[in-house]
Amino acid sequence: MSDMPLDGRRAAVLGSPVAHSLSPVLHTAAYAALGLHSWRYDRHECAEDALAGFVDGLGPEWAGLSLTMPLKRVALDVADAVSPLAAATGAANTLVFRDGGRFADNTDVAGIVAALGPVTGRAVVLGAGGTAQAALAALREAGIGEVTVLVRSAARAGELRAAARRLGVDPVVDEALADPARAAAVLERADVVVSTLPGGAADDLRGAAGTVLDVVYAPWPTAFAAAAAAAGARVVSGLEMLLHQAVAQVELMTGRPGPVDAMRAALDDAVAARAS
């Protein structure tokens, strides 16, 4: 944090689409629990080519930004400094404004680690975007060395391969996403599955067992998560990842520990309200 007083600060989540985001619920609950009653957290629709202009237009009252798809890679381009973890993964979900500069970090990794809990064995990651790169880092932290990444086109996985090299991991990149039957055969052999695909993209996939984390949380359960649960998997909602990555973001933006219990309660209430 900079020396700026903790009064009247602002933050927001950016992405496209972003209307569904529950980040405002989490951060607003954190501010209330921390006594930061003059802080404000919003959401803004923002495409990749608009991020630089948005950030350039922010005033000194801004504490930080949460970044969701499709901004996690381009976030590095608008930062003055990048954390080692964000640099290694090649993606950032957080921009913090402090000491006159822009600092990019990746709290998705911590979110995935906390959401999965202790895991072992073989892992499969679905997708090759910025969140998939964070998943590789999280699985490395969990001590899992055997990872297969399922994609539709290996030719489009160059940035994921580069992130893997920086992280010191060597996943198998398989184009099985284009063939649900072959994908199912791969998923059946996995002990851990992390789906980073956008909403609806994993609906036709079956065969996941073991521990399954689907980062999509709206609507929940996804068709993929429901099928995995029916097959006996331990299914973890993307809400768990969302919660824990937001806890880390709150600490980065405010300089204070994220109030986990207050944030979880607010998240549970918001999810229940949407379901009613």
Side-chain angles (χ1 to χ4, degrees):
M1 290 293 295
S2 69
D3 294 330
M4 189 178 208
L6 287 177
D7 294 323
R9 305 302 303 275
R10 293 188 63 185
V13 58
L14 272 59
S16 184
V18 78
H20 69 284
S21 176
L22 289 170
S23 290
V25 170
L26 288 162
H27 287 257
T28 300
Y31 300 159
L34 293 171
L36 301 175
H37 301 296
S38 63
W39 281 54
R40 172 180 158 192
Y41 189 99
D42 303 301
R43 62 167 68 87
H44 295 277
E45 188 81 12
C46 183
E48 288 178 280
D49 58 1
L51 180 61
F54 185 96
V55 173
D56 287 343
L58 299 180
E61 74 277 14
W62 282 82
L65 298 173
S66 307
L67 304 170
T68 186
M69 292 185 228
L71 304 177
K72 294 183 179 183
R73 286 171 173 162
V74 72
L76 302 182
D77 299 331
V78 302
D80 301 311
V82 178
S83 75
L85 184 58
T89 59
N93 72 324
T94 311
L95 274 179
V96 180
F97 307 118
R98 60 190 184 195
D99 303 321
R102 308 163 179 174
F103 176 71
D105 207 347
N106 190 315
T107 69
D108 279 338
V109 177
I112 293 171
V113 170
L116 285 175
V119 288
T120 58
R122 294 177 292 190
V124 171
V125 175
L126 304 180
T131 307
Q133 292 164 207
L136 290 182
L139 293 168
R140 183 192 67 173
E141 287 195 19
I144 292 181
E146 188 175 345
V147 180
T148 299
V149 179
L150 300 190
V151 298
R152 291 190 179 278
S153 170
R156 299 175 61 185
E159 292 192 49
L160 179 130
R161 293 181 191 273
R165 288 192 293 271
R166 291 190 297 268
L167 290 164
V169 298
D170 187 23
V172 174
V173 177
D174 189 324
E175 293 182 330
L177 274 189
D179 182 347
R182 194 157 68 83
V186 177
L187 289 169
E188 287 169 358
R189 298 192 297 271
D191 301 292
V192 184
V193 177
V194 180
S195 175
T196 70
L197 296 172
D203 284 0
D204 295 333
L205 298 179
R206 299 292 184 270
T211 295
V212 176
L213 168 62
D214 190 342
V215 304
V216 174
Y217 58 81
W220 185 262
T222 63
F224 177 67
R234 169 186 167 248
V235 176
V236 182
S237 166
L239 291 167
E240 280 296 307
M241 175 187 168
L242 180 73
L243 168 66
H244 289 289
Q245 63 82 28
V247 168
Q249 284 185 335
V250 167
E251 183 165 355
L252 284 171
M253 294 181 192
T254 70
R256 301 180 183 182
V260 180
D261 291 343
M263 294 170 72
R264 184 185 294 280
L267 183 62
D268 289 345
D269 288 347
V271 172
R274 284 188 175 184
S276 63

